[in-house]
Amino acid sequence: MLNTPGDAKVCGHQRVPSDSKEFLEVTKRDALRLLENDLDRLLLSAMPERRASLQQEMARFVDLFRRFLQEEGPSIDWDKIQKLPENAVMDYSKLKSPNTDKVQMMLDKLVVVKLNGGLGTSMGCHGPKSVIPVRSDLTFLDLTVQQIEHLNKTYNANVPLVLMNSFNTDEDTEKIIRKYKGFRVQIYTFNQSCFPRICRESFLPIAKDCNVDKDIEAWYPPGHGDFYDTFRNSDLLKQFIDEGREYCFLSNIDNLGATVDLNILNKLVGEECLDKPVEFVMEVTDKTRADVKGGTLIQFENKLRLLEIAQVPKERVDEFKSVKTFKFFNTNNIWAKLDAIDRVCRHHTLNMEIIVNNKTLENGLRVVQLETAVGAAMKCFDGSIGINVPRSRFLPVKKTSDLFLVMSNLYNLKNGSLVMSPQRMFPTTPLVKLGENHFGKVKEFLGRFANIPDIIELDHLTVSGDVTFGRGVSLRGTVIIIANHGDRIDIPAGAILENKIVSGNMRILDH
């Protein structure tokens, strides 16, 4: 396939175009053609019954690769960023609560989607991240099911839960969800795409055949921007539209603050909805110094869109990180109109910025993953808005320092939702930094606490080195505990540390 007579003309000793732009164009055409040839070869190794669906998947990958080759420089001209229009971001506090008798009708128009493609490996766990216990031995998935069952029971509704799995999490998730059979929640799953990793030097797939299980390192799930096409191709989108459902609420399964919000739903399908429907809502929240890398909302070419740090020219990164210039960041809680998703997929008007994720595999091979982000589709929908929500709707668990917060007495568990304790005097969460070497993995982290300290009055905690905590410890104000290399610090049971620095030789100083 690679040496057809037609190919020879391109690969032979023809004169290299002198114009560098023309040379680049020829190089790009060659790269695309060689990739397509390689993918054709891979498809021949697939089982005949899988070939049609794989062909569809590879066509999407080729389209992504083609756009990657065509893109030159940042997708945003910085000088053309416009000021956010006054009505672009709504204040959550201005939203009205629905009348109780309307809630059932509203919920029956909703589908809840959770992004469930990630593994727990970064926190030292095996299998899907959604099955890590986070509170009272309940996992992310347990809490999600509890939340939706509570909604369905309270309002006699039938909100379905949809899990977007990846090839990494699908098999394990299917086994786990069997235990929810008796719950009042209908659970559906579908798989996002499985794309080939490409070699950074040759731009060709590193996979030798289509057997993903045989060489799992050669494949990757291409980010949550893949949601729209795979959701539609799964036929679930059509099913829900036929049932009369109108919106989906989509969020990361590890964001414990992303619960169904009736005030936002009221704005979309209830008494507060506008004459012209809102097709896309991005929940944003106020940026703090801890969120400077998070995507933000901008107005560009008269459209509201997501700006990620990867799209920012190097010389403008400090400006992007400024809390004054860009006040909001994206929580990745998205509300989207189902028939609008169908339309943009059908008309091929989805155009999300490509995230180039360079990785080095364990064998030293450098590969490229081409990904997209679900929020980047915002500009492809009509009537998109942002809603500035309370910080409590953004409670992700990415590291053990986040797990420390959600396991603590800072939160109470109520019907699967975490609610901040009324004893906390201010609504912000403490800033917690736990050393990666000793606290990075869940098992190690849990082994260092007899139980999670009382942190109701904590502002800031930094722990570094070989440190353990006894039972009933209380941390208040700013606490810094640093065990030097070779030293060990054991915080005794019942200790109260308020504005203290604990150094390697166990001296306790006022902060």
Side-chain angles (χ1 to χ4, degrees), residues 48-89:
E49 63 273 17
R50 285 198 64 221
R51 217 165 276 167
S53 64
L54 277 172
Q55 209 153 9
Q56 199 180 34
E57 206 158 269
M58 291 307 143
R60 285 203 302 277
F61 178 70
V62 167
D63 184 55
L64 195 64
F65 187 78
R66 183 186 288 112
R67 290 202 298 116
F68 159 70
L69 291 175
Q70 286 165 354
E71 283 185 5
E72 290 171 15
S75 57
I76 296 279
D77 182 341
W78 196 264
D79 297 323
K80 290 184 181 172
I81 293 177
Q82 300 155 294
K83 196 169 183 284
L84 278 180
E86 218 164 281
N87 58 348
V89 179

Side-chain angles (χ1 to χ4, degrees), residues 74-301:
S75 57
I76 296 279
D77 182 341
W78 196 264
D79 297 323
K80 290 184 181 172
I81 293 177
Q82 300 155 294
K83 196 169 183 284
L84 278 180
E86 218 164 281
N87 58 348
V89 179
M90 291 189 66
D91 186 343
Y92 178 85
S93 64
K94 302 271 186 353
L95 296 179
K96 291 182 180 167
S97 299
N99 289 328
T100 310
D101 58 345
K102 296 282 195 293
V103 174
Q104 182 193 354
M105 174 275 291
M106 287 163 44
L107 288 173
D108 285 341
K109 293 182 179 179
L110 183 68
V111 178
V112 172
V113 181
K114 293 287 180 181
L115 302 170
N116 185 47
L119 290 168
T121 41
S122 65
M123 291 168 74
C125 298
H126 297 291
K129 187 176 182 184
S130 57
V131 300
I132 296 174
V134 284
R135 184 85 190 208
S136 310
D137 288 330
L138 297 171
T139 66
F140 292 105
L141 201 47
D142 292 335
L143 294 175
T144 301
V145 170
Q146 274 192 18
Q147 289 165 18
I148 296 174
E149 185 186 50
H150 175 67
L151 265 184
N152 287 340
K153 280 182 170 175
T154 305
Y155 298 104
N156 193 27
N158 182 24
V159 177
L161 170 62
V162 179
L163 301 172
M164 181 170 92
N165 298 331
S166 68
F167 63 88
N168 287 319
T169 62
D170 180 53
E171 200 178 321
D172 287 338
T173 302
E174 288 298 333
K175 288 175 191 164
I176 290 156
I177 60 176
R178 289 177 200 154
K179 72 176 181 181
Y180 305 121
K181 280 249 164 70
F183 287 70
R184 190 170 163 171
V185 183
Q186 281 183 292
I187 302 176
Y188 301 86
T189 64
F190 71 98
N191 266 20
Q192 69 178 113
S193 301
C194 175
F195 284 171
R197 281 176 166 156
I198 51 179
C199 173
R200 206 145 133 202
E201 277 70 42
S202 67
F203 276 174
L204 292 175
I206 62 168
K208 300 289 183 280
D209 59 45
C210 272
N211 187 339
V212 176
D213 294 333
K214 199 166 80 180
D215 187 9
I216 210 155
E217 285 275 84
W219 303 85
Y220 74 99
H224 38 60
D226 188 49
F227 160 73
Y228 304 101
D229 280 317
T230 48
F231 185 44
R232 183 170 181 267
N233 291 340
S234 73
D235 291 333
L236 284 173
L237 179 62
K238 182 181 185 305
Q239 177 187 326
F240 293 135
I241 290 172
D242 290 348
E243 287 174 10
R245 300 190 186 274
E246 293 181 19
Y247 281 88
C248 68
F249 170 51
L250 177 144
S251 61
N252 297 343
I253 199 155
D254 65 3
N255 179 5
L256 294 173
T259 56
V260 172
D261 188 281
L262 296 179
N263 294 7
I264 296 176
L265 191 59
N266 192 34
K267 182 75 192 166
L268 299 176
V269 298
E271 298 148 307
E272 292 297 303
C273 67
L274 303 167
D275 295 335
K276 191 170 185 251
V278 175
E279 289 190 350
F280 192 101
V281 173
M282 179 181 286
E283 290 186 34
V284 295
T285 193
D286 291 341
K287 207 185 220 188
T288 68
R289 295 193 191 283
D291 315 304
V292 290
K293 290 184 179 177
T296 192
L297 276 185
I298 59 167
Q299 183 84 351
F300 187 80
E301 294 175 342

Side-chain angles (χ1 to χ4, degrees), residues 213-433:
D213 294 333
K214 199 166 80 180
D215 187 9
I216 210 155
E217 285 275 84
W219 303 85
Y220 74 99
H224 38 60
D226 188 49
F227 160 73
Y228 304 101
D229 280 317
T230 48
F231 185 44
R232 183 170 181 267
N233 291 340
S234 73
D235 291 333
L236 284 173
L237 179 62
K238 182 181 185 305
Q239 177 187 326
F240 293 135
I241 290 172
D242 290 348
E243 287 174 10
R245 300 190 186 274
E246 293 181 19
Y247 281 88
C248 68
F249 170 51
L250 177 144
S251 61
N252 297 343
I253 199 155
D254 65 3
N255 179 5
L256 294 173
T259 56
V260 172
D261 188 281
L262 296 179
N263 294 7
I264 296 176
L265 191 59
N266 192 34
K267 182 75 192 166
L268 299 176
V269 298
E271 298 148 307
E272 292 297 303
C273 67
L274 303 167
D275 295 335
K276 191 170 185 251
V278 175
E279 289 190 350
F280 192 101
V281 173
M282 179 181 286
E283 290 186 34
V284 295
T285 193
D286 291 341
K287 207 185 220 188
T288 68
R289 295 193 191 283
D291 315 304
V292 290
K293 290 184 179 177
T296 192
L297 276 185
I298 59 167
Q299 183 84 351
F300 187 80
E301 294 175 342
N302 298 317
K303 279 258 188 181
L304 200 58
R305 63 193 281 179
L306 176 66
L307 175 66
E308 299 273 16
I309 195 164
Q311 297 161 253
V312 178
K314 281 192 178 117
E315 67 276 11
R316 299 285 194 170
V317 167
D318 286 344
E319 203 176 327
F320 173 80
K321 288 180 176 180
S322 159
V323 178
K324 285 179 187 168
T325 314
F326 298 103
K327 294 174 184 168
F328 310 115
F329 81 97
N330 170 28
T331 63
N332 220 39
N333 299 348
I334 306 287
W335 304 71
K337 203 161 188 300
L338 296 178
D339 59 5
I341 293 174
D342 185 54
R343 184 191 72 236
V344 296
C345 290
R346 237 176 333 109
H347 295 171
H348 304 289
T349 52
L350 267 179
N351 177 25
M352 293 168 282
E353 285 75 23
I354 293 169
I355 299 160
V356 180
N357 192 349
N358 293 306
K359 283 187 176 284
T360 303
L361 303 184
E362 278 183 16
N363 61 7
L365 190 65
R366 298 192 309 161
V367 296
V368 174
Q369 294 180 185
L370 303 179
E371 303 173 11
T372 54
V374 70
M378 185 179 213
K379 62 181 180 185
C380 311
F381 291 84
D382 297 330
S384 298
I385 61 167
I387 295 181
N388 184 14
V389 297
R391 183 73 185 205
S392 57
R393 290 192 59 72
F394 183 68
L395 195 58
V397 179
K398 303 292 182 194
K399 296 181 171 183
T400 52
S401 51
D402 302 319
L403 199 55
F404 175 84
L405 289 172
V406 301
M407 291 176 77
S408 75
N409 63 341
L410 200 62
Y411 295 99
N412 298 324
L413 190 60
K414 193 178 175 189
N415 304 312
S417 299
L418 290 184
V419 183
M420 191 173 278
S421 166
Q423 291 175 281
R424 178 83 172 165
M425 297 303 287
F426 25 89
T428 54
T429 51
L431 188 60
V432 175
K433 295 178 181 177

Side-chain angles (χ1 to χ4, degrees), residues 491-507:
I491 304 297
I496 298 172
L497 300 181
E498 183 168 0
N499 295 328
K500 297 287 187 223
I501 297 173
V502 183
S503 69
N505 56 8
M506 201 49 197
R507 281 183 303 142

